[in-house]
Each structure stands twice: as C-alpha cells, then as structure tokens.
Amino acid sequence: MQDFSMAKIQHMIIHLVGNKAKEEEIRLSSELCKNIDEATEQHLKQFFFSSFKFDMIYCFSHETDVCLNEIYNYVRKIFDDEKQFIQQSINIAKHLYEVSAHPNIKGGELYVTYIKNCIIDGQILDAIGIFKSETKDIYLEIEKNKTAFDVNCKKGINAKKLDKGCLILRGEENDILKVYMVDTNHNDTFYWKTQFLGIKESNNEYSSTSHLLKTYKQYIKKSCNIEPSKKVSMLNNSVQYFETHDEFELDEFADTVFENTAQSEMFKEYIQNKQEEKVKEKFVISSKAVSNVKRTIKNFIKLDSQIEIKIDTNMQEIDSLLEKGYDDKKKMNYYKIYYFKEE
C-alpha cells in the first residue's frame, strides 16, 4: 500500500533543463522554493505521485560498479547530509542536461524534492523525488473588472499530467531500498531510465513474471511457422497457465503451452540463450503482473480484407471452432467459424 496523504515536502528546488543537442539553455536555481502553502503542496503531491503505478521496482545499476552511477551518488549524498540538497540537485540537473543530447528530447522544468513520511508497503520512508515537466496546457482565466468579466489565455502545468518522474526511497538504516519510475512518453524511456537514472528492474516476483510473459509473447510473435490462430491459442494458454499456478517452472510451462517436445525444447533453448537479460526458470508468480501483461496481448487475427476475428482471451480450444482453408476457385484463404447461436 502506498499513502502520501501525510507526506511532507521538506525541500524543493526547480531548475530549467533544455535540450543540449539544440543548444538550449540550462538555468540553475541557487535557492529552495519558498512559501509553499498547504493548498499548493496538496496540488504538488497530486502532480508528483498520481502518475506512479508502483508495480515495477527498480534499482540503480552500472556496468562496472553501482558507486559510479551519477544519480546514485548524488542522492546518497543528500540522504547522508540534507545540507547538500541544493548542490546535489544542481549536479542532478547538470547530468540530465548532458544526457539530453537527442533532438527529440524536450526541455522543461526539473523538480528535485526531499519528501518525508511516505508510506510504502507499510513502511514510513523518506524519499528523494526527481520530476520533469515538459508539456504545457492552455488555461482560461476569468478576471472581473468594474463593469464586466474578461477572459485571458495562459499556459501552465496540469497537476494531473506528470511527464517524467522518479522516487528514490531509503529505509531506517539509510540504505536505498526502492526506486520507482514513471515516463508517460515511452519513446523517451531509454533516455530517462537508462541514460539519466541508470536503473534496471529489480529481481522480484512482478519483474520475473512480467519479463517471462513478455519474452514468450515476443517469441510467439516472431515465429513464422505458427499460424495466426495458433498463436492466439498459445498466448491464451500461457495466460491460463499463469492464472492457475502460484509458481512458474520453465519445464512444466513449456510442456503445457507447446504441442510437442520439439517446440518445447526450442523455446527453452531460446530462453537459456537470451544474453541481454537472464530469464529465471523458477519463481513465484505475480498475479498483478499477469493482469497487466494480459491487457497487452492481441487476441485477434487481422486479415487483409479489413476484417478482424476477435477471440476471447480465456478461450483455449480455438482449433475446434476455427478452421482455416484455401478456396481454389477464388484463389483466397478463408476461415470457417463454428458456433451454436448468434448474440
């Protein structure tokens, strides 16, 4: 459970970080934000926290030593000594500017915050929040003059639309426990997650479940020798396995979702040879991860005749209701669908 109702923004500073590739400026503040009233703080907390889902947990990483990760170093220094907050926030902004080297990256305000009394999974923790706003909305402001009302158009930040964010939490012993991230522009994820923050998915139930299901989905999608209807059936079978088991075991899973030993062995070899990220062969299943990945699975067959055949994600015996053939007279493929009655 996450609860920020009692959270207190202890320190906050705002820097402007442009796009270095476009030679935009970086403007650094030397003082903290002052005079934040209670109403403003409530809107800020909504702005900072409402976009986080708190499903995926991340940790800092580095190819040689995590102590060489820039953001890891800066936030540890703040946790060790709050007096360093301003200077380390400046270092964070400078680091963001250095990695903003792609022309498509948008400049914007960078908020660095020190937040107390965040309740995460029943623990009361301090957090360092790093948030970036890139887009502006148009607002209409009504002003009253002596005899009538006037309307003006202004640009501002929508408190319900955070573009990018990161929450870094520490425990009682001052060690960094968890990192959460949000990025509403998925095209920027590599820049924000990898180049700037330098984080990776933590090895837990949610990430293991999500990663295996996504890997299987990718494998089925790339398999050219599997019919589209069979792909839908195999994906449905994989979801059914995860929904009816508490623990994942690779051999059992492969034997369940594939029709024969040859296909099963090919998939297990594919899993074992993945170099970019090792896939665990046994883990406790996260039902939340299954639900989230299930929503991304395409349960339809798209034909070039502008017709789509939609199949329920819970359907298992698709082959008994869907038959594929070829019409020699029309020289076209066809699907024959069996059913009892129309609804």
Side-chain angles (χ1 to χ4, degrees), residues 215-239:
T215 301
Y216 176 76
K217 185 176 75 168
Q218 183 183 44
Y219 176 81
I220 296 300
K221 184 179 179 180
K222 289 183 176 180
S223 298
C224 301
N225 58 339
I226 302 177
E227 293 287 343
S229 61
K230 182 63 68 175
K231 289 184 177 182
V232 175
S233 178
M234 294 173 74
L235 287 169
N236 284 356
N237 288 341
S238 70
V239 172

mmCIF file of all heavy atoms in Angstrom, residues 215-239:
data_model
loop_
_atom_site.group_PDB
_atom_site.id
_atom_site.type_symbol
_atom_site.label_atom_id
_atom_site.label_comp_id
_atom_site.label_asym_id
_atom_site.label_seq_id
_atom_site.Cartn_x
_atom_site.Cartn_y
_atom_site.Cartn_z
ATOM 1 N N THR A 215 8.629 -12.081 -22.838
ATOM 2 C CA THR A 215 9.584 -12.836 -23.642
ATOM 3 C C THR A 215 8.869 -13.912 -24.452
ATOM 4 O O THR A 215 9.140 -14.113 -25.649
ATOM 5 C CB THR A 215 10.652 -13.492 -22.742
ATOM 6 O OG1 THR A 215 11.338 -12.478 -22.013
ATOM 7 C CG2 THR A 215 11.659 -14.288 -23.569
ATOM 8 N N TYR A 216 7.931 -14.614 -23.823
ATOM 9 C CA TYR A 216 7.157 -15.639 -24.520
ATOM 10 C C TYR A 216 6.313 -15.010 -25.631
ATOM 11 O O TYR A 216 6.238 -15.543 -26.751
ATOM 12 C CB TYR A 216 6.255 -16.367 -23.526
ATOM 13 C CG TYR A 216 5.340 -17.383 -24.163
ATOM 14 C CD1 TYR A 216 5.818 -18.615 -24.592
ATOM 15 C CD2 TYR A 216 3.985 -17.099 -24.348
ATOM 16 C CE1 TYR A 216 4.977 -19.548 -25.187
ATOM 17 C CE2 TYR A 216 3.140 -18.030 -24.935
ATOM 18 C CZ TYR A 216 3.639 -19.245 -25.356
ATOM 19 O OH TYR A 216 2.806 -20.158 -25.953
ATOM 20 N N LYS A 217 5.681 -13.883 -25.334
ATOM 21 C CA LYS A 217 4.861 -13.193 -26.340
ATOM 22 C C LYS A 217 5.705 -12.785 -27.544
ATOM 23 O O LYS A 217 5.288 -12.939 -28.703
ATOM 24 C CB LYS A 217 4.198 -11.963 -25.707
ATOM 25 C CG LYS A 217 3.216 -11.247 -26.637
ATOM 26 C CD LYS A 217 2.524 -10.110 -25.931
ATOM 27 C CE LYS A 217 3.454 -8.924 -25.771
ATOM 28 N NZ LYS A 217 2.737 -7.688 -25.334
ATOM 29 N N GLN A 218 6.901 -12.277 -27.280
ATOM 30 C CA GLN A 218 7.818 -11.887 -28.354
ATOM 31 C C GLN A 218 8.243 -13.106 -29.180
ATOM 32 O O GLN A 218 8.329 -13.037 -30.416
ATOM 33 C CB GLN A 218 9.046 -11.200 -27.748
ATOM 34 C CG GLN A 218 10.046 -10.670 -28.759
ATOM 35 C CD GLN A 218 11.273 -10.081 -28.082
ATOM 36 O OE1 GLN A 218 11.815 -10.660 -27.149
ATOM 37 N NE2 GLN A 218 11.700 -8.923 -28.547
ATOM 38 N N TYR A 219 8.509 -14.210 -28.494
ATOM 39 C CA TYR A 219 8.932 -15.436 -29.180
ATOM 40 C C TYR A 219 7.832 -15.938 -30.115
ATOM 41 O O TYR A 219 8.090 -16.285 -31.274
ATOM 42 C CB TYR A 219 9.277 -16.499 -28.144
ATOM 43 C CG TYR A 219 9.631 -17.851 -28.729
ATOM 44 C CD1 TYR A 219 10.903 -18.105 -29.232
ATOM 45 C CD2 TYR A 219 8.687 -18.884 -28.767
ATOM 46 C CE1 TYR A 219 11.226 -19.341 -29.777
ATOM 47 C CE2 TYR A 219 9.000 -20.126 -29.304
ATOM 48 C CZ TYR A 219 10.274 -20.339 -29.796
ATOM 49 O OH TYR A 219 10.591 -21.566 -30.337
ATOM 50 N N ILE A 220 6.597 -15.972 -29.634
ATOM 51 C CA ILE A 220 5.473 -16.437 -30.452
ATOM 52 C C ILE A 220 5.251 -15.495 -31.636
ATOM 53 O O ILE A 220 5.001 -15.928 -32.764
ATOM 54 C CB ILE A 220 4.196 -16.547 -29.602
ATOM 55 C CG1 ILE A 220 4.370 -17.611 -28.515
ATOM 56 C CG2 ILE A 220 2.990 -16.878 -30.471
ATOM 57 C CD1 ILE A 220 4.665 -18.996 -29.026
ATOM 58 N N LYS A 221 5.351 -14.218 -31.391
ATOM 59 C CA LYS A 221 5.137 -13.222 -32.451
ATOM 60 C C LYS A 221 6.152 -13.388 -33.573
ATOM 61 O O LYS A 221 5.825 -13.229 -34.757
ATOM 62 C CB LYS A 221 5.223 -11.807 -31.861
ATOM 63 C CG LYS A 221 4.929 -10.704 -32.854
ATOM 64 C CD LYS A 221 5.017 -9.342 -32.189
ATOM 65 C CE LYS A 221 4.732 -8.231 -33.205
ATOM 66 N NZ LYS A 221 4.819 -6.885 -32.570
ATOM 67 N N LYS A 222 7.391 -13.713 -33.233
ATOM 68 C CA LYS A 222 8.460 -13.844 -34.230
ATOM 69 C C LYS A 222 8.461 -15.192 -34.937
ATOM 70 O O LYS A 222 9.164 -15.362 -35.933
ATOM 71 C CB LYS A 222 9.821 -13.622 -33.556
ATOM 72 C CG LYS A 222 10.095 -12.188 -33.136
ATOM 73 C CD LYS A 222 11.482 -12.064 -32.545
ATOM 74 C CE LYS A 222 11.815 -10.617 -32.200
ATOM 75 N NZ LYS A 222 13.171 -10.501 -31.612
ATOM 76 N N SER A 223 7.690 -16.149 -34.437
ATOM 77 C CA SER A 223 7.700 -17.497 -35.009
ATOM 78 C C SER A 223 6.901 -17.515 -36.310
ATOM 79 O O SER A 223 5.658 -17.462 -36.300
ATOM 80 C CB SER A 223 7.112 -18.505 -34.015
ATOM 81 O OG SER A 223 7.891 -18.545 -32.837
ATOM 82 N N CYS A 224 7.592 -17.616 -37.425
ATOM 83 C CA CYS A 224 6.940 -17.549 -38.743
ATOM 84 C C CYS A 224 6.208 -18.835 -39.106
ATOM 85 O O CYS A 224 5.335 -18.826 -39.983
ATOM 86 C CB CYS A 224 7.984 -17.235 -39.817
ATOM 87 S SG CYS A 224 8.871 -15.682 -39.568
ATOM 88 N N ASN A 225 6.576 -19.941 -38.473
ATOM 89 C CA ASN A 225 5.978 -21.240 -38.830
ATOM 90 C C ASN A 225 4.737 -21.578 -38.010
ATOM 91 O O ASN A 225 4.262 -22.712 -38.042
ATOM 92 C CB ASN A 225 7.019 -22.354 -38.665
ATOM 93 C CG ASN A 225 7.561 -22.431 -37.249
ATOM 94 O OD1 ASN A 225 7.477 -21.460 -36.505
ATOM 95 N ND2 ASN A 225 8.107 -23.570 -36.882
ATOM 96 N N ILE A 226 4.202 -20.603 -37.281
ATOM 97 C CA ILE A 226 2.999 -20.825 -36.480
ATOM 98 C C ILE A 226 1.853 -20.003 -37.075
ATOM 99 O O ILE A 226 1.998 -18.798 -37.313
ATOM 100 C CB ILE A 226 3.222 -20.434 -35.007
ATOM 101 C CG1 ILE A 226 4.390 -21.228 -34.411
ATOM 102 C CG2 ILE A 226 1.962 -20.674 -34.195
ATOM 103 C CD1 ILE A 226 4.717 -20.839 -32.979
ATOM 104 N N GLU A 227 0.729 -20.659 -37.324
ATOM 105 C CA GLU A 227 -0.438 -19.983 -37.872
ATOM 106 C C GLU A 227 -0.960 -18.911 -36.900
ATOM 107 O O GLU A 227 -0.879 -19.096 -35.678
ATOM 108 C CB GLU A 227 -1.557 -20.996 -38.142
ATOM 109 C CG GLU A 227 -1.255 -21.979 -39.251
ATOM 110 C CD GLU A 227 -1.331 -21.326 -40.626
ATOM 111 O OE1 GLU A 227 -1.919 -20.223 -40.738
ATOM 112 O OE2 GLU A 227 -0.807 -21.910 -41.578
ATOM 113 N N PRO A 228 -1.532 -17.812 -37.419
ATOM 114 C CA PRO A 228 -2.047 -16.743 -36.544
ATOM 115 C C PRO A 228 -3.045 -17.230 -35.503
ATOM 116 O O PRO A 228 -2.994 -16.821 -34.343
ATOM 117 C CB PRO A 228 -2.713 -15.773 -37.530
ATOM 118 C CG PRO A 228 -1.942 -15.967 -38.797
ATOM 119 C CD PRO A 228 -1.596 -17.428 -38.836
ATOM 120 N N SER A 229 -3.966 -18.126 -35.910
ATOM 121 C CA SER A 229 -4.946 -18.635 -34.943
ATOM 122 C C SER A 229 -4.274 -19.455 -33.865
ATOM 123 O O SER A 229 -4.673 -19.435 -32.698
ATOM 124 C CB SER A 229 -6.004 -19.484 -35.655
ATOM 125 O OG SER A 229 -5.406 -20.603 -36.299
ATOM 126 N N LYS A 230 -3.237 -20.193 -34.254
ATOM 127 C CA LYS A 230 -2.482 -20.991 -33.286
ATOM 128 C C LYS A 230 -1.712 -20.085 -32.334
ATOM 129 O O LYS A 230 -1.571 -20.395 -31.136
ATOM 130 C CB LYS A 230 -1.541 -21.927 -34.020
ATOM 131 C CG LYS A 230 -0.727 -22.849 -33.102
ATOM 132 C CD LYS A 230 -1.627 -23.782 -32.322
ATOM 133 C CE LYS A 230 -2.295 -24.796 -33.220
ATOM 134 N NZ LYS A 230 -3.088 -25.790 -32.440
ATOM 135 N N LYS A 231 -1.207 -18.953 -32.835
ATOM 136 C CA LYS A 231 -0.502 -18.003 -31.970
ATOM 137 C C LYS A 231 -1.424 -17.473 -30.890
ATOM 138 O O LYS A 231 -1.043 -17.372 -29.720
ATOM 139 C CB LYS A 231 0.062 -16.843 -32.802
ATOM 140 C CG LYS A 231 1.241 -17.215 -33.690
ATOM 141 C CD LYS A 231 1.800 -15.992 -34.398
ATOM 142 C CE LYS A 231 3.022 -16.352 -35.231
ATOM 143 N NZ LYS A 231 3.618 -15.174 -35.892
ATOM 144 N N VAL A 232 -2.657 -17.115 -31.281
ATOM 145 C CA VAL A 232 -3.623 -16.624 -30.299
ATOM 146 C C VAL A 232 -3.908 -17.699 -29.262
ATOM 147 O O VAL A 232 -3.960 -17.433 -28.055
ATOM 148 C CB VAL A 232 -4.930 -16.175 -30.991
ATOM 149 C CG1 VAL A 232 -5.978 -15.786 -29.962
ATOM 150 C CG2 VAL A 232 -4.664 -15.004 -31.926
ATOM 151 N N SER A 233 -4.069 -18.937 -29.726
ATOM 152 C CA SER A 233 -4.339 -20.047 -28.814
ATOM 153 C C SER A 233 -3.186 -20.265 -27.839
ATOM 154 O O SER A 233 -3.404 -20.463 -26.642
ATOM 155 C CB SER A 233 -4.581 -21.325 -29.619
ATOM 156 O OG SER A 233 -4.789 -22.427 -28.760
ATOM 157 N N MET A 234 -1.949 -20.200 -28.338
ATOM 158 C CA MET A 234 -0.781 -20.425 -27.484
ATOM 159 C C MET A 234 -0.612 -19.303 -26.469
ATOM 160 O O MET A 234 -0.229 -19.540 -25.323
ATOM 161 C CB MET A 234 0.464 -20.573 -28.351
ATOM 162 C CG MET A 234 0.443 -21.828 -29.224
ATOM 163 S SD MET A 234 1.811 -21.914 -30.390
ATOM 164 C CE MET A 234 3.152 -22.336 -29.283
ATOM 165 N N LEU A 235 -0.907 -18.073 -26.877
ATOM 166 C CA LEU A 235 -0.829 -16.951 -25.943
ATOM 167 C C LEU A 235 -1.897 -17.084 -24.861
ATOM 168 O O LEU A 235 -1.649 -16.818 -23.683
ATOM 169 C CB LEU A 235 -0.976 -15.626 -26.697
ATOM 170 C CG LEU A 235 0.238 -15.206 -27.540
ATOM 171 C CD1 LEU A 235 -0.118 -14.026 -28.437
ATOM 172 C CD2 LEU A 235 1.421 -14.850 -26.655
ATOM 173 N N ASN A 236 -3.090 -17.511 -25.269
ATOM 174 C CA ASN A 236 -4.152 -17.741 -24.289
ATOM 175 C C ASN A 236 -3.757 -18.836 -23.306
ATOM 176 O O ASN A 236 -4.016 -18.732 -22.097
ATOM 177 C CB ASN A 236 -5.444 -18.123 -24.999
ATOM 178 C CG ASN A 236 -6.135 -16.927 -25.638
ATOM 179 O OD1 ASN A 236 -5.676 -15.790 -25.481
ATOM 180 N ND2 ASN A 236 -7.200 -17.167 -26.355
ATOM 181 N N ASN A 237 -3.118 -19.884 -23.820
ATOM 182 C CA ASN A 237 -2.686 -20.980 -22.950
ATOM 183 C C ASN A 237 -1.649 -20.510 -21.936
ATOM 184 O O ASN A 237 -1.636 -20.963 -20.778
ATOM 185 C CB ASN A 237 -2.108 -22.120 -23.790
ATOM 186 C CG ASN A 237 -3.176 -22.867 -24.565
ATOM 187 O OD1 ASN A 237 -4.357 -22.791 -24.239
ATOM 188 N ND2 ASN A 237 -2.774 -23.580 -25.605
ATOM 189 N N SER A 238 -0.771 -19.607 -22.374
ATOM 190 C CA SER A 238 0.265 -19.104 -21.463
ATOM 191 C C SER A 238 -0.355 -18.290 -20.333
ATOM 192 O O SER A 238 0.040 -18.418 -19.170
ATOM 193 C CB SER A 238 1.290 -18.253 -22.233
ATOM 194 O OG SER A 238 0.734 -17.027 -22.654
ATOM 195 N N VAL A 239 -1.347 -17.450 -20.669
ATOM 196 C CA VAL A 239 -2.033 -16.667 -19.642
ATOM 197 C C VAL A 239 -2.780 -17.592 -18.686
ATOM 198 O O VAL A 239 -2.769 -17.396 -17.466
ATOM 199 C CB VAL A 239 -2.999 -15.654 -20.289
ATOM 200 C CG1 VAL A 239 -3.851 -14.976 -19.228
ATOM 201 C CG2 VAL A 239 -2.221 -14.609 -21.080
#
